[in-house]
Amino acid sequence: MQPWRSGERTGPGAASPQHRSPQYSYFQNWTTHLDEENFYFNFCNLKKAKDRKITFLCFQVEGASTFSKGVSSNQIGGLHVELSFLSWFENNLLSHAQGQYQVTWYLSWSPCCNCAQEVAKFLATNRNVKLTIFIARLYYPERRQNQVGLRQLVSQGVMMKAMSLQDFSQCWEVFVDNHGSMFKPWENLDENYSWQAGNLDQILRGSWNLLKEETFCLHFNNQRRLPKPHPRRRWYLCYQLMSPRGDLLDKGCLQSKKKRHPEIRLICRILSMRLDQAQRYQLCCYLSWSPCLQCAQELEKFASKHKNLGVHIYTARLYCHWLRYFQKGLYLLWKYQVLVTVMGLQEFDDCWKIFVDQEKPFPAWPKLQQCSDKIQNRLDRILKVWSLNDLNDALSDLSLRQ
């Protein structure tokens, strides 16, 4: 059962980089404590949290010569509370005193994708700020963009965890006007915590949308012919995107859908992440079939426009390699420095461990490496022939100009 709530988070929806604007240099309705009723209602870690649209943030800032704490929430027509905090923090603390800062957040909802990206950028610029986030509930965890946002935060050194009974008790003691009373756990708190923590762990490890064992062994099998009867082998693409620091930002498995090859779907997915153009990223892809000419052309255009993204393609088989039409696609990728390598035993094993929902070691089929070597030799010959043809054409063109 997926968590849900009625409507999106309070605020304009898309968090913008205007968090440094003077008009947002303070928290709206910033208080030192939260009343008991608000805490119990908004921080309850339900799997299905109806009518809880507002995100509450309890914060604590510790520095060499400063200590601050408080509670705030999203306001209608204002920025999300995470960005409002950044504006206040930058204008009131960072601009007045240097040194190391330890910031702790207790959030009723995890950050949306836009807020996560902005916070990650802020931390990348301000290395003297360390952030720890305790989350009561995950905000639409099935949405890939939200998953990517949380991984971007972790890639910038953010410590993130779901709130346990101990964390709720700590938040109660520090931030709730409790009149000296003890925190009373609600029903199923521990069960809900296990559910939230398990989902968060899956997101941070990127283990959503894995392939089944039989799917991988059929569609990535590099033998020329499979024993009959067997279904048609389709286009599958497994990918992982790494941050400049080598942390996992995103990973997934795609297949052809509605006449769109997975390469095109991947390009659209990467573009939606709005990666920082000033940072260097690595994209590693494992394909069941090498790209067709149209997909190769789109990949070449994409790579040429995004020089900060290194792309390496591993393919199990070459698609219609005997036709010059498809050979041209392979040559274009090589010519414009998009690496294409045939998968060997090591690559199959790596792909199995990363992208397959498996409970056993990779079951290598007979003559796997022999098939791989033959396909790699075939690819090398194609690239060599096309390179010579390209060189001959260039020489002919030069002679005609003289």
Side-chain angles (χ1 to χ4, degrees):
M1 182 179 296
Q2 295 293 345
W4 62 279
R5 51 181 153 166
S6 177
E8 299 290 332
R9 292 172 61 160
T10 300
S16 71
Q18 295 176 339
H19 62 266
R20 293 175 177 81
S21 173
Q23 62 179 317
Y24 294 115
S25 61
Y26 56 88
F27 274 134
Q28 295 178 351
N29 297 335
W30 173 20
T31 62
T32 56
H33 289 87
L34 187 66
D35 64 70
E36 295 184 19
E37 183 179 356
N38 258 333
F39 177 80
Y40 278 119
F41 180 77
N42 288 288
F43 277 85
C44 186
N45 64 349
L46 298 171
K47 301 176 186 178
K48 194 174 183 180
K50 185 178 180 181
D51 295 331
R52 290 165 173 82
K53 300 180 181 180
I54 298 177
T55 297
F56 277 83
L57 184 154
C58 303
F59 71 92
Q60 184 171 291
V61 180
E62 298 177 80
S65 59
T66 185
F67 178 85
S68 299
K69 73 171 187 176
V71 179
S72 188
S73 63
N74 291 346
Q75 300 297 314
I76 296 177
L79 289 181
H80 287 179
V81 68
E82 299 93 332
L83 302 191
S84 183
F85 172 88
L86 292 186
S87 179
W88 168 84
F89 179 68
E90 186 174 49
N91 285 279
N92 291 274
L93 295 181
L94 281 181
S95 62
H96 293 86
Q98 298 297 319
Q100 299 293 318
Y101 289 92
Q102 176 60 55
V103 180
T104 303
W105 287 355
Y106 291 87
L107 283 166
S108 59
W109 286 109
S110 62
C112 67
C113 58
N114 295 307
C115 286
Q117 289 172 350
E118 290 300 321
V119 174
K121 291 178 182 178
F122 177 86
L123 295 173
T125 305
N126 300 277
R127 293 296 184 183
N128 59 326
V129 180
K130 302 298 181 184
L131 176 62
T132 301
I133 302 178
F134 295 93
I135 298 167
R137 296 182 303 272
L138 290 171
Y139 180 67
Y140 291 113
E142 73 280 1
R143 294 184 180 178
R144 180 164 295 275
Q145 287 185 325
N146 291 339
Q147 298 173 21
V148 172
L150 296 180
R151 286 196 286 267
Q152 286 179 322
L153 288 174
V154 172
S155 74
Q156 294 300 328
V158 174
M159 298 293 294
M160 188 183 309
K161 70 182 294 287
M163 291 179 68
S164 63
L165 173 60
Q166 181 179 353
D167 301 319
F168 283 113
S169 298
Q170 178 68 19
C171 188
W172 170 271
E173 292 294 330
V174 177
F175 297 103
V176 178
D177 188 11
N178 54 53
H179 306 289
S181 62
M182 299 290 291
F183 171 65
K184 297 179 181 179
W186 46 81
E187 186 179 2
N188 297 326
L189 184 152
D190 288 333
E191 177 185 337
N192 293 340
Y193 160 71
S194 298
W195 188 88
Q196 301 284 356
N199 276 343
L200 180 60
D201 182 60
Q202 279 190 314
I203 290 172
L204 298 184
R205 290 188 295 109
S207 58
W208 291 62
N209 191 29
L210 298 178
L211 293 177
K212 295 181 179 179
E213 293 182 3
E214 55 271 21
T215 300
F216 179 83
C217 290
L218 168 64
H219 296 288
F220 278 83
N221 193 306
N222 66 349
Q223 292 174 315
R224 187 175 181 181
R225 292 185 178 88
L226 296 181
K228 293 183 178 182
H230 63 80
R232 181 180 179 183
R233 293 190 285 190
R234 300 174 181 173
W235 248 296
Y236 276 84
L237 184 154
C238 304
Y239 74 93
Q240 59 179 1
L241 178 67
M242 309 301 291
S243 74
R245 295 174 55 182
D247 298 304
L248 178 66
L249 286 184
D250 191 26
K251 83 173 186 180
C253 302
L254 303 171
Q255 70 176 102
S256 297
K257 188 176 182 180
K258 295 181 180 179
K259 297 183 180 180
R260 296 177 72 205
H261 286 179
E263 296 92 331
I264 305 302
R265 296 182 62 200
L266 175 62
I267 290 174
C268 294
R269 181 167 289 184
I270 298 297
L271 289 175
S272 70
M273 296 178 192
R274 295 181 296 174
L275 300 176
D276 187 351
Q277 295 296 313
Q279 300 289 329
R280 179 73 178 174
Y281 300 88
Q282 292 294 326
L283 177 64
C284 181
C285 304
Y286 297 86
L287 281 76
S288 59
W289 287 109
S290 61
C292 67
L293 177 58
Q294 292 90 339
C295 289
Q297 291 172 332
E298 292 300 320
L299 285 168
E300 178 270 315
K301 292 177 184 178
F302 175 73
S304 63
K305 291 181 180 179
H306 299 80
K307 300 294 186 182
N308 64 320
L309 184 64
V311 182
H312 195 154
I313 295 174
Y314 296 94
T315 183
R317 299 181 304 279
L318 301 180
Y319 183 71
C320 295
H321 58 84
W322 57 90
L323 298 177
R324 288 180 59 82
Y325 182 79
F326 295 104
Q327 293 176 9
K328 183 179 179 180
L330 296 171
Y331 175 66
L332 286 176
L333 291 173
W334 175 82
K335 183 178 180 180
Y336 293 100
Q337 299 182 344
V338 178
L339 297 177
V340 179
T341 306
V342 174
M343 293 174 67
L345 178 58
Q346 184 61 56
E347 288 73 33
F348 280 107
D349 187 60
D350 291 341
C351 192
W352 175 268
K353 292 176 180 177
I354 299 172
F355 299 104
V356 179
D357 186 13
Q358 38 78 22
E359 298 180 353
K360 60 184 179 182
F362 171 57
W365 44 83
K367 299 183 179 180
L368 181 153
Q369 192 59 51
Q370 294 180 27
C371 294
S372 177
D373 293 339
K374 289 180 180 179
I375 298 172
Q376 183 64 57
N377 291 335
R378 190 175 298 124
L379 175 60
D380 293 339
R381 289 198 302 271
I382 291 172
L383 298 179
K384 183 178 180 180
V385 170
W386 275 82
S387 298
L388 291 174
N389 291 340
D390 203 9
L391 178 60
N392 291 334
D393 291 341
L395 292 175
S396 299
D397 184 57
L398 180 63
S399 63
L400 290 174
R401 292 181 183 181
Q402 293 177 347

